[in-house]
């Protein structure tokens, strides 16, 4: 009888003494393609839902006979103002859903791509909200033969209008703090606290949507609009608050060992109860809160650097990047840990092909090691590239070398300063100047490429992979920046 292993199940490490390499099931490539097709379908479904969320309120607007507004200038301004408000609110609810870390969304887009969508929608949403306010005031002014300021002051005594203005002001604060230049100056914690204000901004904007304008005053339209907000807030509470609390209480994770993993990094092993139920895939990440003095008040995302062992333990590898991670170097065994996750598509679940190239630099080496341990490998069609500025930053090198030997994977290490290519910094080291991915793995076009590390390194690898003809859906990356 043969045992069939499903795609994504951990692959045994193999017997290092006999040198036997685990054999990939013959149908693995087929399964990876099937997995990619299923993910493509889920993505199409999500795209359809996001289009529908915009189309439905516009259809309600038209069904209520509002097209007639466009027969006069004042009516046209009011109509456009209403439409921009409707679309802005639909986009806002999509942003809430993308931030809610709904497992279906995470499994389909990955958390970082969901957040990229969230940020892109933010710009359109804020622009539409400003248009909404200005166009409506201009429309009322044109109708009454007054001006925008008179109309604003005339509406000021209306409570729901005041709340709507307050909501705009709060959105402006959040929007400004999210701008790249401002984010670079704010600590992650301060930015996060300001971001919480956006939920208040949404809440105080809700009353005027039902009372002013009359579109959602009654009937099915009212129920649809209310349901949209209820679903968004339910998902946020459920997946961002209750599920993490439940998981942390249920799995009771504690630190078991802390070991050096390089000059400025440690590997922290954690063990929890019935970890199989958590659905963790090697390479995914959690938000961790270590319940020790000086550490409990900040949460940090870290990727797993191993699979889950039979005893319910797994490992993360942490590089000292700032004050919080430096303090973590001294965390003690026995420390309880709260977790939010697992999140992300940087795992076997993103595989689409039987060949694979794994590239890691700095703290990005941790999830690369986890993937190397767990993902399907066809000897001769797999390569690991480790990149470090100095030998002390080749984290987990001995383990990775042993895994590569056991699994028949080619290992390339590049240490030292970055080479330059056509005037720009390349991803390779200076002693590999002019080397491209396609030189190291001529079959890379038909491989999944996973890359994790500093932004500059990842961006240069992604450019090189695209130049080698690797399609976007075969490129997988996890950004450690926020
Ligand atoms: C999805 C993901 C997975 C990660 N996995 C790992 C890993 O496996 N190993 C590892 O060493 N590092 C990992 N990181 C990076 C790690 O989370 C940050 O280096 C750490 O949170 C910095 O905290 P700090 O207080 O030491 O640094 P700070 O002094 O606060 O800042 C140092 C740098 O880290 C950034 N940073 C701070 N807090 C966060 C946060 N909550 N989220 C993201 N960036 C932050 C800051 O913007 C700054 O660039 C990961 C980051 C992300 C987003």
């Amino acid at each position: 009888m043969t045992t069939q292993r499903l795609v994504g199940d951990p692959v045994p490490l193999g017997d290092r003494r006999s040198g036997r390499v685990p054999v990939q099931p013959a149908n693995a490539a087929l399964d990876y393609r099937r997995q990619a097709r299923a993910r493509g379908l889920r993505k199409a479904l999500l795209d359809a839902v996001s289009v529908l969320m915009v189309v439905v309120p516009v259809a309600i607007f038209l069904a209520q006979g509002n097209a007639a507004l466009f027969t006069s200038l004042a009516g046209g301004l009011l109509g456009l103002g209403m439409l921009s408000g409707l679309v802005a609110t639909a986009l806002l609810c999509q942003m809430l859903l993308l931030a809610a870390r709904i497992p279906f969304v995470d499994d389909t887009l990955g958390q970082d791509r969901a957040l990229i969508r969230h940020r892109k929608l933010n710009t359109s949403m804020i622009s539409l909200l400003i248009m909404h306010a200005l166009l409506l005031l201009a429309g009322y002014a044109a109708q009454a033969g007054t001006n925008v300021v008179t109309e604003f002051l005339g509406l000021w005594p209306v409570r729901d209008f005041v709340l709507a203005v307050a909501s705009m002001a709060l959105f402006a604060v959040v929007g400004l703090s999210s701008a790249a230049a401002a984010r670079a100056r704010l600590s992650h914690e301060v930015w996060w606290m300001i971001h919480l204000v956006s939920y208040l901004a949404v809440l105080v904007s809700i009353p005027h949507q039902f009372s002013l304008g009359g579109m959602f005053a009654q009937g099915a339209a009212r129920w649809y609009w209310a349901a949209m907000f209820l679903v968004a807030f339910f998902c946020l509470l459920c997946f961002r608050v209750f599920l993490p609390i439940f998981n942390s209480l249920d799995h009771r994770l504690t630190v078991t060992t802390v070991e050096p993993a390089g000059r400025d990094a440690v590997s922290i092993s954690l063990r929890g109860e019935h970890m199989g139920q958590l659905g963790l895939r090697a390479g995914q990440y959690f938000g961790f809160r270590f319940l020790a003095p000086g550490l409990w008040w900040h949460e940090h995302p870290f990727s797993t650097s191993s699979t889950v062992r039979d005893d319910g333990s797994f490992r993360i590898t942490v590089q000292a990047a700032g004050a919080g991670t430096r303090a973590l170097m001294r965390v003690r065994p026995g420390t309880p840990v709260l977790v939010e996750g697992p999140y992300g598509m940087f795992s076997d679940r993103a595989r689409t092909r039987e060949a694979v190239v794994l590239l890691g630099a700095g703290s990005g080496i941790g999830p690369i090691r986890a993937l190397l341990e767990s993902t399907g490998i066809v000897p001769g069609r797999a390569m690991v590239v480790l990149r470090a500025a100095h030998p002390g930053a080749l984290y987990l090198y001995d383990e990775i070398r042993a895994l590569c030997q056991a699994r028949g994977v080619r290992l390339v290490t590049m240490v030292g300063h970055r080479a330059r290519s056509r005037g720009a910094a390349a991803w390779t080291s200076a002693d590999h100047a002019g080397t491209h991915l396609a030189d190291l793995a001529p079959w890379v076009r038909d491989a999944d490429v996973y890359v994790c590390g500093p932004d500059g390194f990842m961006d240069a690898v992604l450019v090189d992979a695209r130049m080698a003809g690797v399609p976007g859906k075969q490129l997988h990356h996890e950004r450690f920046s926020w």
Side-chain angles (χ1 to χ4, degrees), residues 188-189 285 298-303 317-319 321-326 363 367 478-482:
H188 190 270
E189 283 78 17
Y285 72 93
H298 47 118
E299 190 189 87
H300 294 282
F302 296 118
S303 305
T317 300
V318 179
Q319 182 189 29
T325 38
R326 266 198 302 279
S363 51
E478 187 79 271
R479 286 201 187 271
F480 283 6
S481 53
W482 58 284

PDB file of all heavy atoms in Angstrom, residues 188-189 285 298-303 317-319 321-326 363 367 478-482, ligand 1:
ATOM      1  N   HIS A 188       6.536  52.618  14.926  1.00  0.00           N
ATOM      2  CA  HIS A 188       5.444  51.736  14.520  1.00  0.00           C
ATOM      3  C   HIS A 188       4.282  51.828  15.499  1.00  0.00           C
ATOM      4  O   HIS A 188       3.123  51.852  15.107  1.00  0.00           O
ATOM      5  CB  HIS A 188       5.958  50.298  14.419  1.00  0.00           C
ATOM      6  CG  HIS A 188       4.972  49.375  13.797  1.00  0.00           C
ATOM      7  ND1 HIS A 188       4.052  48.684  14.541  1.00  0.00           N
ATOM      8  CD2 HIS A 188       4.720  49.072  12.508  1.00  0.00           C
ATOM      9  CE1 HIS A 188       3.302  47.968  13.737  1.00  0.00           C
ATOM     10  NE2 HIS A 188       3.681  48.179  12.501  1.00  0.00           N
ATOM     11  N   GLU A 189       4.614  51.906  16.804  1.00  0.00           N
ATOM     12  CA  GLU A 189       3.558  51.929  17.834  1.00  0.00           C
ATOM     13  C   GLU A 189       2.694  53.197  17.708  1.00  0.00           C
ATOM     14  O   GLU A 189       1.470  53.129  17.792  1.00  0.00           O
ATOM     15  CB  GLU A 189       4.162  51.854  19.250  1.00  0.00           C
ATOM     16  CG  GLU A 189       4.619  50.462  19.665  1.00  0.00           C
ATOM     17  CD  GLU A 189       5.959  50.081  19.052  1.00  0.00           C
ATOM     18  OE1 GLU A 189       6.676  50.982  18.586  1.00  0.00           O
ATOM     19  OE2 GLU A 189       6.266  48.877  19.017  1.00  0.00           O
ATOM     20  N   TYR A 285       3.927  33.821   9.252  1.00  0.00           N
ATOM     21  CA  TYR A 285       4.345  34.599  10.423  1.00  0.00           C
ATOM     22  C   TYR A 285       3.183  34.806  11.394  1.00  0.00           C
ATOM     23  O   TYR A 285       2.019  34.639  11.037  1.00  0.00           O
ATOM     24  CB  TYR A 285       4.918  35.953   9.989  1.00  0.00           C
ATOM     25  CG  TYR A 285       3.906  36.946   9.490  1.00  0.00           C
ATOM     26  CD1 TYR A 285       3.327  37.881  10.342  1.00  0.00           C
ATOM     27  CD2 TYR A 285       3.509  36.960   8.159  1.00  0.00           C
ATOM     28  CE1 TYR A 285       2.387  38.790   9.885  1.00  0.00           C
ATOM     29  CE2 TYR A 285       2.572  37.871   7.694  1.00  0.00           C
ATOM     30  CZ  TYR A 285       2.017  38.782   8.560  1.00  0.00           C
ATOM     31  OH  TYR A 285       1.085  39.675   8.106  1.00  0.00           O
ATOM     32  N   HIS A 298       4.481  45.709  23.432  1.00  0.00           N
ATOM     33  CA  HIS A 298       4.570  45.832  21.970  1.00  0.00           C
ATOM     34  C   HIS A 298       4.571  44.477  21.273  1.00  0.00           C
ATOM     35  O   HIS A 298       5.192  43.530  21.740  1.00  0.00           O
ATOM     36  CB  HIS A 298       5.739  46.705  21.501  1.00  0.00           C
ATOM     37  CG  HIS A 298       7.060  46.426  22.130  1.00  0.00           C
ATOM     38  ND1 HIS A 298       8.142  46.020  21.424  1.00  0.00           N
ATOM     39  CD2 HIS A 298       7.462  46.515  23.421  1.00  0.00           C
ATOM     40  CE1 HIS A 298       9.154  45.867  22.242  1.00  0.00           C
ATOM     41  NE2 HIS A 298       8.771  46.158  23.447  1.00  0.00           N
ATOM     42  N   GLU A 299       3.833  44.475  20.148  1.00  0.00           N
ATOM     43  CA  GLU A 299       3.715  43.234  19.367  1.00  0.00           C
ATOM     44  C   GLU A 299       4.647  43.343  18.164  1.00  0.00           C
ATOM     45  O   GLU A 299       4.778  44.406  17.579  1.00  0.00           O
ATOM     46  CB  GLU A 299       2.270  43.093  18.890  1.00  0.00           C
ATOM     47  CG  GLU A 299       1.988  41.745  18.277  1.00  0.00           C
ATOM     48  CD  GLU A 299       0.621  41.693  17.600  1.00  0.00           C
ATOM     49  OE1 GLU A 299       0.531  42.055  16.424  1.00  0.00           O
ATOM     50  OE2 GLU A 299      -0.328  41.272  18.250  1.00  0.00           O
ATOM     51  N   HIS A 300       5.309  42.224  17.825  1.00  0.00           N
ATOM     52  CA  HIS A 300       6.191  42.235  16.652  1.00  0.00           C
ATOM     53  C   HIS A 300       5.857  41.049  15.756  1.00  0.00           C
ATOM     54  O   HIS A 300       5.661  39.946  16.255  1.00  0.00           O
ATOM     55  CB  HIS A 300       7.657  42.085  17.072  1.00  0.00           C
ATOM     56  CG  HIS A 300       8.153  43.242  17.860  1.00  0.00           C
ATOM     57  ND1 HIS A 300       8.518  44.431  17.284  1.00  0.00           N
ATOM     58  CD2 HIS A 300       8.325  43.408  19.190  1.00  0.00           C
ATOM     59  CE1 HIS A 300       8.902  45.273  18.222  1.00  0.00           C
ATOM     60  NE2 HIS A 300       8.792  44.673  19.393  1.00  0.00           N
ATOM     61  N   PRO A 301       5.858  41.269  14.443  1.00  0.00           N
ATOM     62  CA  PRO A 301       5.667  40.127  13.553  1.00  0.00           C
ATOM     63  C   PRO A 301       6.998  39.399  13.313  1.00  0.00           C
ATOM     64  O   PRO A 301       8.007  40.044  13.040  1.00  0.00           O
ATOM     65  CB  PRO A 301       5.183  40.791  12.244  1.00  0.00           C
ATOM     66  CG  PRO A 301       5.651  42.201  12.306  1.00  0.00           C
ATOM     67  CD  PRO A 301       5.932  42.553  13.731  1.00  0.00           C
ATOM     68  N   PHE A 302       6.977  38.073  13.453  1.00  0.00           N
ATOM     69  CA  PHE A 302       8.156  37.263  13.127  1.00  0.00           C
ATOM     70  C   PHE A 302       7.698  36.024  12.365  1.00  0.00           C
ATOM     71  O   PHE A 302       6.680  35.411  12.699  1.00  0.00           O
ATOM     72  CB  PHE A 302       8.893  36.797  14.401  1.00  0.00           C
ATOM     73  CG  PHE A 302       9.473  37.938  15.195  1.00  0.00           C
ATOM     74  CD1 PHE A 302       9.052  38.176  16.493  1.00  0.00           C
ATOM     75  CD2 PHE A 302      10.430  38.776  14.649  1.00  0.00           C
ATOM     76  CE1 PHE A 302       9.565  39.230  17.232  1.00  0.00           C
ATOM     77  CE2 PHE A 302      10.956  39.844  15.381  1.00  0.00           C
ATOM     78  CZ  PHE A 302      10.518  40.065  16.672  1.00  0.00           C
ATOM     79  N   SER A 303       8.518  35.652  11.368  1.00  0.00           N
ATOM     80  CA  SER A 303       8.197  34.469  10.573  1.00  0.00           C
ATOM     81  C   SER A 303       8.737  33.227  11.256  1.00  0.00           C
ATOM     82  O   SER A 303       9.742  33.291  11.973  1.00  0.00           O
ATOM     83  CB  SER A 303       8.841  34.586   9.193  1.00  0.00           C
ATOM     84  OG  SER A 303       8.447  35.790   8.587  1.00  0.00           O
ATOM     85  N   THR A 317      13.395  33.063  14.231  1.00  0.00           N
ATOM     86  CA  THR A 317      14.766  33.574  14.326  1.00  0.00           C
ATOM     87  C   THR A 317      14.696  35.088  14.218  1.00  0.00           C
ATOM     88  O   THR A 317      14.168  35.629  13.246  1.00  0.00           O
ATOM     89  CB  THR A 317      15.638  32.948  13.227  1.00  0.00           C
ATOM     90  OG1 THR A 317      15.628  31.532  13.426  1.00  0.00           O
ATOM     91  CG2 THR A 317      17.069  33.459  13.294  1.00  0.00           C
ATOM     92  N   VAL A 318      15.201  35.754  15.272  1.00  0.00           N
ATOM     93  CA  VAL A 318      15.000  37.199  15.416  1.00  0.00           C
ATOM     94  C   VAL A 318      16.334  37.934  15.338  1.00  0.00           C
ATOM     95  O   VAL A 318      17.271  37.610  16.063  1.00  0.00           O
ATOM     96  CB  VAL A 318      14.323  37.506  16.770  1.00  0.00           C
ATOM     97  CG1 VAL A 318      14.136  39.006  16.954  1.00  0.00           C
ATOM     98  CG2 VAL A 318      12.986  36.790  16.872  1.00  0.00           C
ATOM     99  N   GLN A 319      16.381  38.927  14.449  1.00  0.00           N
ATOM    100  CA  GLN A 319      17.583  39.757  14.333  1.00  0.00           C
ATOM    101  C   GLN A 319      17.363  41.035  15.144  1.00  0.00           C
ATOM    102  O   GLN A 319      16.256  41.592  15.127  1.00  0.00           O
ATOM    103  CB  GLN A 319      17.783  40.119  12.860  1.00  0.00           C
ATOM    104  CG  GLN A 319      19.022  40.926  12.592  1.00  0.00           C
ATOM    105  CD  GLN A 319      19.050  41.427  11.152  1.00  0.00           C
ATOM    106  OE1 GLN A 319      18.008  41.639  10.548  1.00  0.00           O
ATOM    107  NE2 GLN A 319      20.227  41.609  10.623  1.00  0.00           N
ATOM    108  N   ALA A 321      17.026  44.436  15.426  1.00  0.00           N
ATOM    109  CA  ALA A 321      16.886  45.548  14.470  1.00  0.00           C
ATOM    110  C   ALA A 321      16.714  46.874  15.200  1.00  0.00           C
ATOM    111  O   ALA A 321      17.114  47.919  14.714  1.00  0.00           O
ATOM    112  CB  ALA A 321      15.686  45.306  13.568  1.00  0.00           C
ATOM    113  N   GLY A 322      16.126  46.848  16.380  1.00  0.00           N
ATOM    114  CA  GLY A 322      15.865  48.068  17.138  1.00  0.00           C
ATOM    115  C   GLY A 322      15.714  47.714  18.606  1.00  0.00           C
ATOM    116  O   GLY A 322      16.049  46.599  19.035  1.00  0.00           O
ATOM    117  N   ALA A 323      15.147  48.663  19.390  1.00  0.00           N
ATOM    118  CA  ALA A 323      15.091  48.465  20.841  1.00  0.00           C
ATOM    119  C   ALA A 323      14.289  47.216  21.218  1.00  0.00           C
ATOM    120  O   ALA A 323      14.708  46.438  22.085  1.00  0.00           O
ATOM    121  CB  ALA A 323      14.475  49.695  21.483  1.00  0.00           C
ATOM    122  N   GLY A 324      13.132  47.010  20.548  1.00  0.00           N
ATOM    123  CA  GLY A 324      12.260  45.886  20.908  1.00  0.00           C
ATOM    124  C   GLY A 324      12.932  44.544  20.647  1.00  0.00           C
ATOM    125  O   GLY A 324      12.909  43.645  21.502  1.00  0.00           O
ATOM    126  N   THR A 325      13.533  44.392  19.490  1.00  0.00           N
ATOM    127  CA  THR A 325      14.160  43.107  19.152  1.00  0.00           C
ATOM    128  C   THR A 325      15.456  42.905  19.957  1.00  0.00           C
ATOM    129  O   THR A 325      15.803  41.770  20.291  1.00  0.00           O
ATOM    130  CB  THR A 325      14.425  43.003  17.640  1.00  0.00           C
ATOM    131  OG1 THR A 325      14.833  44.264  17.141  1.00  0.00           O
ATOM    132  CG2 THR A 325      13.204  42.538  16.891  1.00  0.00           C
ATOM    133  N   ARG A 326      16.133  44.015  20.301  1.00  0.00           N
ATOM    134  CA  ARG A 326      17.340  43.864  21.147  1.00  0.00           C
ATOM    135  C   ARG A 326      16.943  43.301  22.505  1.00  0.00           C
ATOM    136  O   ARG A 326      17.599  42.411  23.038  1.00  0.00           O
ATOM    137  CB  ARG A 326      18.045  45.212  21.327  1.00  0.00           C
ATOM    138  CG  ARG A 326      19.152  45.431  20.296  1.00  0.00           C
ATOM    139  CD  ARG A 326      20.128  46.520  20.727  1.00  0.00           C
ATOM    140  NE  ARG A 326      19.491  47.793  20.961  1.00  0.00           N
ATOM    141  CZ  ARG A 326      19.169  48.671  20.003  1.00  0.00           C
ATOM    142  NH1 ARG A 326      19.446  48.385  18.748  1.00  0.00           N
ATOM    143  NH2 ARG A 326      18.587  49.809  20.292  1.00  0.00           N
ATOM    144  N   SER A 363      17.493  38.728   8.166  1.00  0.00           N
ATOM    145  CA  SER A 363      16.466  38.011   8.932  1.00  0.00           C
ATOM    146  C   SER A 363      15.509  37.259   8.012  1.00  0.00           C
ATOM    147  O   SER A 363      14.766  36.388   8.470  1.00  0.00           O
ATOM    148  CB  SER A 363      15.696  38.979   9.823  1.00  0.00           C
ATOM    149  OG  SER A 363      15.248  40.083   9.065  1.00  0.00           O
ATOM    150  N   PRO A 367      12.477  32.348   7.370  1.00  0.00           N
ATOM    151  CA  PRO A 367      11.388  31.662   6.654  1.00  0.00           C
ATOM    152  C   PRO A 367      11.872  30.833   5.468  1.00  0.00           C
ATOM    153  O   PRO A 367      11.225  29.861   5.088  1.00  0.00           O
ATOM    154  CB  PRO A 367      10.489  32.818   6.190  1.00  0.00           C
ATOM    155  CG  PRO A 367      11.291  34.055   6.329  1.00  0.00           C
ATOM    156  CD  PRO A 367      12.284  33.810   7.420  1.00  0.00           C
ATOM    157  N   GLU A 478       7.909  38.139   1.011  1.00  0.00           N
ATOM    158  CA  GLU A 478       7.344  38.616   2.283  1.00  0.00           C
ATOM    159  C   GLU A 478       8.135  39.844   2.682  1.00  0.00           C
ATOM    160  O   GLU A 478       9.359  39.765   2.841  1.00  0.00           O
ATOM    161  CB  GLU A 478       7.510  37.528   3.345  1.00  0.00           C
ATOM    162  CG  GLU A 478       6.818  37.812   4.657  1.00  0.00           C
ATOM    163  CD  GLU A 478       5.317  37.532   4.581  1.00  0.00           C
ATOM    164  OE1 GLU A 478       4.558  38.450   4.223  1.00  0.00           O
ATOM    165  OE2 GLU A 478       4.934  36.397   4.866  1.00  0.00           O
ATOM    166  N   ARG A 479       7.457  40.992   2.784  1.00  0.00           N
ATOM    167  CA  ARG A 479       8.164  42.214   3.174  1.00  0.00           C
ATOM    168  C   ARG A 479       8.200  42.333   4.685  1.00  0.00           C
ATOM    169  O   ARG A 479       7.180  42.182   5.343  1.00  0.00           O
ATOM    170  CB  ARG A 479       7.487  43.451   2.587  1.00  0.00           C
ATOM    171  CG  ARG A 479       7.753  43.570   1.123  1.00  0.00           C
ATOM    172  CD  ARG A 479       7.565  44.943   0.545  1.00  0.00           C
ATOM    173  NE  ARG A 479       7.710  44.824  -0.900  1.00  0.00           N
ATOM    174  CZ  ARG A 479       8.856  44.928  -1.560  1.00  0.00           C
ATOM    175  NH1 ARG A 479       9.955  45.207  -0.912  1.00  0.00           N
ATOM    176  NH2 ARG A 479       8.920  44.757  -2.858  1.00  0.00           N
ATOM    177  N   PHE A 480       9.385  42.620   5.246  1.00  0.00           N
ATOM    178  CA  PHE A 480       9.519  42.804   6.686  1.00  0.00           C
ATOM    179  C   PHE A 480       9.364  44.271   7.064  1.00  0.00           C
ATOM    180  O   PHE A 480       9.467  44.632   8.220  1.00  0.00           O
ATOM    181  CB  PHE A 480      10.889  42.294   7.167  1.00  0.00           C
ATOM    182  CG  PHE A 480      10.968  40.786   7.279  1.00  0.00           C
ATOM    183  CD1 PHE A 480       9.928  39.975   6.851  1.00  0.00           C
ATOM    184  CD2 PHE A 480      12.077  40.170   7.828  1.00  0.00           C
ATOM    185  CE1 PHE A 480      10.001  38.592   6.969  1.00  0.00           C
ATOM    186  CE2 PHE A 480      12.165  38.796   7.950  1.00  0.00           C
ATOM    187  CZ  PHE A 480      11.127  38.007   7.526  1.00  0.00           C
ATOM    188  N   SER A 481       9.177  45.136   6.049  1.00  0.00           N
ATOM    189  CA  SER A 481       8.999  46.556   6.354  1.00  0.00           C
ATOM    190  C   SER A 481       7.500  46.824   6.469  1.00  0.00           C
ATOM    191  O   SER A 481       6.694  46.022   6.017  1.00  0.00           O
ATOM    192  CB  SER A 481       9.592  47.404   5.247  1.00  0.00           C
ATOM    193  OG  SER A 481       9.069  46.991   4.001  1.00  0.00           O
ATOM    194  N   TRP A 482       7.090  47.969   7.039  1.00  0.00           N
ATOM    195  CA  TRP A 482       5.657  48.264   7.178  1.00  0.00           C
ATOM    196  C   TRP A 482       5.308  49.556   6.486  1.00  0.00           C
ATOM    197  O   TRP A 482       6.191  50.294   6.086  1.00  0.00           O
ATOM    198  CB  TRP A 482       5.254  48.350   8.651  1.00  0.00           C
ATOM    199  CG  TRP A 482       5.982  49.368   9.436  1.00  0.00           C
ATOM    200  CD1 TRP A 482       7.268  49.284   9.913  1.00  0.00           C
ATOM    201  CD2 TRP A 482       5.518  50.654   9.848  1.00  0.00           C
ATOM    202  NE1 TRP A 482       7.600  50.407  10.584  1.00  0.00           N
ATOM    203  CE2 TRP A 482       6.557  51.277  10.562  1.00  0.00           C
ATOM    204  CE3 TRP A 482       4.311  51.349   9.680  1.00  0.00           C
ATOM    205  CZ2 TRP A 482       6.439  52.551  11.113  1.00  0.00           C
ATOM    206  CZ3 TRP A 482       4.200  52.614  10.237  1.00  0.00           C
ATOM    207  CH2 TRP A 482       5.253  53.207  10.945  1.00  0.00           C
TER     208      TRP A 482
HETATM  209  C1  LIG B   1       5.558  39.918   8.114  1.00  0.00           C
HETATM  210  C2  LIG B   1       6.828  40.205   8.852  1.00  0.00           C
HETATM  211  C3  LIG B   1       7.640  39.160   9.252  1.00  0.00           C
HETATM  212  C4  LIG B   1       8.824  39.419   9.923  1.00  0.00           C
HETATM  213  N1  LIG B   1       9.631  38.371  10.286  1.00  0.00           N
HETATM  214  C5  LIG B   1      10.798  38.616  10.916  1.00  0.00           C
HETATM  215  C6  LIG B   1      11.658  37.537  11.294  1.00  0.00           C
HETATM  216  O1  LIG B   1      11.372  36.363  11.070  1.00  0.00           O
HETATM  217  N2  LIG B   1      12.814  37.848  11.929  1.00  0.00           N
HETATM  218  C7  LIG B   1      13.184  39.142  12.202  1.00  0.00           C
HETATM  219  O2  LIG B   1      14.247  39.357  12.786  1.00  0.00           O
HETATM  220  N3  LIG B   1      12.393  40.180  11.852  1.00  0.00           N
HETATM  221  C8  LIG B   1      11.206  39.964  11.227  1.00  0.00           C
HETATM  222  N4  LIG B   1      10.405  41.005  10.873  1.00  0.00           N
HETATM  223  C9  LIG B   1      10.822  42.375  11.203  1.00  0.00           C
HETATM  224  C10 LIG B   1      10.550  42.652  12.674  1.00  0.00           C
HETATM  225  O3  LIG B   1       9.162  42.530  12.941  1.00  0.00           O
HETATM  226  C11 LIG B   1      11.005  44.054  13.041  1.00  0.00           C
HETATM  227  O4  LIG B   1      12.379  44.146  12.806  1.00  0.00           O
HETATM  228  C12 LIG B   1      10.751  44.314  14.502  1.00  0.00           C
HETATM  229  O5  LIG B   1       9.373  44.380  14.752  1.00  0.00           O
HETATM  230  C13 LIG B   1      11.439  45.604  14.874  1.00  0.00           C
HETATM  231  O6  LIG B   1      11.092  45.945  16.200  1.00  0.00           O
HETATM  232  P1  LIG B   1      12.090  46.821  17.106  1.00  0.00           P
HETATM  233  O7  LIG B   1      11.324  47.376  18.250  1.00  0.00           O
HETATM  234  O8  LIG B   1      13.312  46.072  17.414  1.00  0.00           O
HETATM  235  O9  LIG B   1      12.537  47.930  16.109  1.00  0.00           O
HETATM  236  P2  LIG B   1      12.225  49.459  16.047  1.00  0.00           P
HETATM  237  O10 LIG B   1      13.352  50.195  16.688  1.00  0.00           O
HETATM  238  O11 LIG B   1      10.844  49.770  16.503  1.00  0.00           O
HETATM  239  O12 LIG B   1      12.312  49.597  14.477  1.00  0.00           O
HETATM  240  C14 LIG B   1      13.314  48.970  13.694  1.00  0.00           C
HETATM  241  C15 LIG B   1      12.723  48.736  12.326  1.00  0.00           C
HETATM  242  O13 LIG B   1      11.667  47.744  12.377  1.00  0.00           O
HETATM  243  C16 LIG B   1      10.421  48.308  11.927  1.00  0.00           C
HETATM  244  N5  LIG B   1       9.312  47.835  12.792  1.00  0.00           N
HETATM  245  C17 LIG B   1       9.096  48.127  14.083  1.00  0.00           C
HETATM  246  N6  LIG B   1       8.000  47.522  14.547  1.00  0.00           N
HETATM  247  C18 LIG B   1       7.479  46.841  13.499  1.00  0.00           C
HETATM  248  C19 LIG B   1       6.325  46.024  13.328  1.00  0.00           C
HETATM  249  N7  LIG B   1       5.466  45.777  14.330  1.00  0.00           N
HETATM  250  N8  LIG B   1       6.104  45.502  12.117  1.00  0.00           N
HETATM  251  C20 LIG B   1       6.972  45.716  11.116  1.00  0.00           C
HETATM  252  N9  LIG B   1       8.078  46.465  11.211  1.00  0.00           N
HETATM  253  C21 LIG B   1       8.322  47.031  12.385  1.00  0.00           C
HETATM  254  C22 LIG B   1      10.617  49.798  12.077  1.00  0.00           C
HETATM  255  O14 LIG B   1       9.833  50.509  11.167  1.00  0.00           O
HETATM  256  C23 LIG B   1      12.084  49.986  11.747  1.00  0.00           C
HETATM  257  O15 LIG B   1      12.317  49.982  10.365  1.00  0.00           O
HETATM  258  C24 LIG B   1       9.206  40.763  10.203  1.00  0.00           C
HETATM  259  C25 LIG B   1       8.387  41.808   9.820  1.00  0.00           C
HETATM  260  C26 LIG B   1       7.207  41.544   9.150  1.00  0.00           C
HETATM  261  C27 LIG B   1       6.328  42.688   8.728  1.00  0.00           C
END
